[in-house]
Amino acid sequence: MIQEERVEALNAMERRKGKYVLYWMQASQRAQCNHALEYAIVQADALGIPVVAFFGITDSFPEGNQRHYKFMLEGLRDAKRSLEKRGIQLVIQRCSPERGASMMSRDAALAVVDRGYLRIQKAWRRDGAAAMDCPLLQVESDVVVPVKEASPKEEYSAATIRKKLRRKLTSYLVPLKEARPLADSLALDFESFPVEDVEQALSHLEVDRSVQPVPVLRGGSEEAGRHLEIFLDEKLEHYAEFRNDPTRSYLSLMSPYLHFGQISPLHIALRISGSGAADAEAYLEELIVRRELGINFVFYNDRYDTFASLPDWAIGSLKAHGQDPRPYRYSRREFEEGNTHDPYWNAAQREMVLRGKMHGYMRMYWGKKILEWSSTPEEAYQTAIYLNNKYELDGRDPSGFMGVAWCFGKHDRPWGERPIFGNIRYMNAGGLKRKFDADGYVQLVRRWESQNAEVGAEGNDLPR
DNA sequence: ATCGGCTCGCGCAA
DNA sequence: TGCGCGAAGCCGAT
């Protein structure tokens, strides 16, 4: 079911005769549980024409590097294969997405695009819509509840959006029907950037190669589905108990796949929900409430990647303590190399640099300490955003921007005033030790690093 | 081990 | 206008 609240016309063009319906794939890089794709199929069937899918790959996505591109190409390879099985051609071109999409729209009756919430994604859609002579319809496919339906404004906390989201779940937490288009587009003649051989495709892109691809996770909808099944079979029943213990592997690993749209949050939620068990509820809290709070944040707050996005009380309090002496002070480079005095912080940083993913619990401690050990809170904020975007596979994602902001007071309440932090919630290493074997975590990261140095990617398995 | 205070402001009840 | 309560905690008192 495609609720009409998911659909929005991005320009005022009239429908016209055309050879196909264009699905401009951008955020939802998958063939399964994709409302935008299904919407395009419904439109095409009604017009008696096929669907052509298009993806524009730009070498210069801001802060994108080889690590991200490889993961994305693995996903595009899966998407192309899966679409072909349904008789839909995926045309991939090296170009700025909105320009490629508008070129491809010339022979289209209408165009459909998925929704993105970041500045650049909004700009691409706006510019694409303006350049097209046919209608461009946006269909929101990477959230359970459409962002404007969840709330008409920037939310103050998880508590405020939680109630609003819960009220809407009966309408939106429902399966999407998938169809094979009546007309096939495989025979249409288009040039496409080949992605079947991912290494070769990667070598043809002129991207930043300073960060290595990750040894553990491979991209694509197929891998996403495999990890989801492992999570459901082996991990979900202990999720509430172990999710905040980074020495155990009890997370779903969905966030990189969600970031690239290689899996649908609706699909995950439908697989999880129903039991009502505490573990399922805890997971749905992360998947829906927390994730869609992040989307609310970046959608309504244009300064989502800066210190200025914080609430007034946090900015005032941090500024009032801007001159407080810092017990330790590190440069961006010292942080980046994981060379602080704190073995727990260094372990978290190195986990991220090596594996493209930092454990959720450690992300909080990591950000809080960057604030504590930087010259100014503004500099700390920039450092955290820079490192997160560069190394995390799910960097440059609403959840990541929100995660950094939370460490600086966003979506949180004020706490007892103290040096440097002011009223921002404080965390220290004692908290880690109370919750899990913090020294065991340091050892674990060391093992990952030495395994990676010795045998390369093959020996690098997840902890059990 | 457990508990209250820390401190601001949203959102709803009245 | 008043009041309850909040993304993951810390700290000191008991």
Side-chain angles (χ1 to χ4, degrees):
Chain A
M1 153 138 199
I2 303 169
Q3 302 83 356
E4 61 185 47
E5 297 82 14
R6 294 190 186 273
V7 184
E8 186 180 338
L10 296 186
N11 63 20
M13 291 297 158
E14 300 285 335
R15 293 188 181 213
R16 62 181 187 195
K17 290 205 166 178
K19 293 181 185 161
Y20 49 82
V21 169
L22 179 68
Y23 166 41
W24 171 13
M25 176 187 285
Q26 196 275 311
S28 308
Q29 297 168 23
R30 63 178 183 276
Q32 304 81 17
C33 197
N34 179 339
H35 295 83
L37 171 65
E38 297 305 324
Y39 188 87
I41 292 170
V42 169
Q43 300 299 320
D45 285 353
L47 295 168
I49 54 179
V51 174
V52 172
F54 166 78
F55 189 89
I57 186 165
T58 165
D59 295 3
S60 52
F61 192 93
E63 298 181 84
N65 61 51
Q66 179 174 225
R67 169 172 292 182
H68 308 115
Y69 277 96
K70 182 173 182 215
F71 200 88
M72 185 170 80
L73 287 167
E74 287 166 339
L76 289 171
R77 180 198 53 203
D78 280 13
K80 189 173 174 75
R81 286 180 189 164
S82 302
L83 287 168
E84 277 174 7
K85 283 185 192 155
R86 292 167 74 185
I88 301 167
Q89 181 170 179
L90 174 61
V91 178
I92 300 172
Q93 290 175 1
R94 281 183 67 192
C95 59
S96 192
E98 82 290 10
R99 261 184 266 143
S102 67
M103 294 284 281
M104 289 290 293
S105 74
R106 285 182 186 173
D107 288 328
L110 72 151
V112 177
V113 66
D114 42 44
R115 185 168 206 162
Y117 306 92
L118 303 182
R119 277 189 297 272
I120 189 167
Q121 293 176 304
K122 291 179 181 175
W124 279 341
R125 285 160 182 75
R126 184 192 63 223
D127 296 345
M132 288 184 193
D133 297 321
C134 69
L136 178 62
L137 298 168
Q138 175 178 268
V139 181
E140 202 161 354
S141 54
D142 287 327
V143 285
V144 175
V145 181
V147 64
K148 286 183 183 170
E149 279 299 297
S151 170
K153 65 183 183 70
E154 182 178 358
E155 287 294 322
Y156 178 76
S157 70
T160 58
I161 203 171
R162 185 181 296 117
K163 275 185 288 188
K164 299 178 183 184
L165 287 169
R166 295 245 174 236
R167 279 203 296 269
K168 302 275 183 182
L169 287 186
T170 47
S171 311
Y172 295 104
L173 193 53
V174 293
L176 172 68
K177 212 173 84 190
E178 297 186 353
R180 187 188 171 95
L182 298 173
D184 177 307
S185 65
L186 298 180
L188 295 179
D189 188 27
F190 291 104
E191 288 279 315
S192 186
F193 178 69
V195 292
E196 193 55 39
D197 183 336
V198 167
E199 287 298 337
Q200 196 168 41
L202 188 61
S203 73
H204 287 139
L205 296 178
E206 289 172 28
V207 299
D208 174 2
R209 303 199 193 275
S210 63
V211 181
Q212 290 304 305
V214 299
V216 203
L217 288 182
R218 280 167 291 141
S221 298
E222 201 169 305
E223 281 290 290
R226 195 174 66 81
H227 285 297
L228 177 59
E229 295 311 313
I230 293 172
F231 178 68
L232 291 166
D233 287 348
E234 302 174 13
K235 301 177 178 180
L236 179 59
E237 65 172 321
H238 298 292
Y239 182 73
E241 187 183 357
F242 292 144
R243 74 192 171 88
N244 280 339
D245 184 344
T247 68
R248 298 171 190 268
S249 173
Y250 275 85
L251 302 184
S252 68
L253 308 181
M254 287 296 103
S255 65
Y257 301 100
L258 285 164
H259 170 68
F260 288 99
Q262 295 170 356
I263 195 166
S264 151
L266 173 63
H267 170 73
I268 301 172
L270 289 169
R271 293 285 281 123
I272 300 279
S273 70
S275 71
D279 294 293
E281 288 305 308
Y283 187 78
L284 292 174
E285 168 75 15
E286 306 296 314
L287 176 71
I288 303 178
V289 177
R290 205 184 79 169
R291 179 169 179 274
E292 298 191 9
L293 177 61
I295 287 168
N296 170 278
F297 171 52
V298 303
F299 182 69
Y300 288 111
N301 191 324
D302 228 21
R303 299 185 280 193
Y304 57 78
D305 51 355
T306 71
F307 182 78
S309 69
L310 300 174
D312 290 342
W313 68 265
I315 290 177
S317 189
L318 287 170
K319 284 202 166 152
H321 290 270
Q323 300 301 312
D324 292 357
R326 268 62 177 160
Y328 301 94
R329 205 173 343 183
Y330 299 110
S331 65
R332 174 179 287 195
R333 182 169 175 175
E334 287 168 311
F335 281 122
E336 188 159 7
E337 292 173 349
N339 276 327
T340 76
H341 65 286
D342 179 339
Y344 312 116
W345 194 93
N346 294 344
Q349 171 66 22
R350 290 174 180 186
E351 176 186 6
M352 176 177 74
V353 167
L354 176 65
R355 295 162 70 94
K357 212 166 176 306
M358 188 187 301
H359 190 280
Y361 190 79
M362 293 306 294
R363 288 190 193 201
M364 295 189 284
Y365 180 77
W366 176 85
K368 294 285 183 188
K369 290 303 168 188
I370 295 176
L371 169 58
E372 188 174 354
W373 303 331
S374 294
S375 297
T376 66
E378 292 90 341
E379 182 185 307
Y381 205 102
Q382 287 172 8
T383 301
I385 293 282
Y386 163 79
L387 292 174
N388 188 74
N389 287 356
K390 181 170 179 179
Y391 292 105
E392 297 274 18
L393 276 174
D394 58 357
R396 307 161 303 150
D397 186 88
S399 297
F401 291 119
M402 175 178 65
V404 170
W406 180 84
C407 295
F408 291 72
K410 184 78 193 172
H411 298 153
D412 202 9
R413 57 198 262 217
W415 300 84
E417 191 165 16
R418 58 185 299 140
I420 306 175
F421 285 80
N423 297 117
I424 307 300
R425 182 196 299 259
Y426 176 68
M427 288 178 78
N428 64 17
L432 308 181
K433 292 178 186 169
R434 249 176 277 125
K435 287 186 164 46
F436 58 88
D437 176 8
D439 292 296
Y441 172 64
V442 174
Q443 296 303 319
L444 180 62
V445 174
R446 287 221 183 98
R447 279 206 299 281
W448 287 336
E449 288 189 310
S450 55
Q451 280 170 8
N452 194 60
E454 282 167 25
V455 296
E458 301 314 311
N460 216 323
D461 209 350
L462 294 167
R464 305 306 298 186

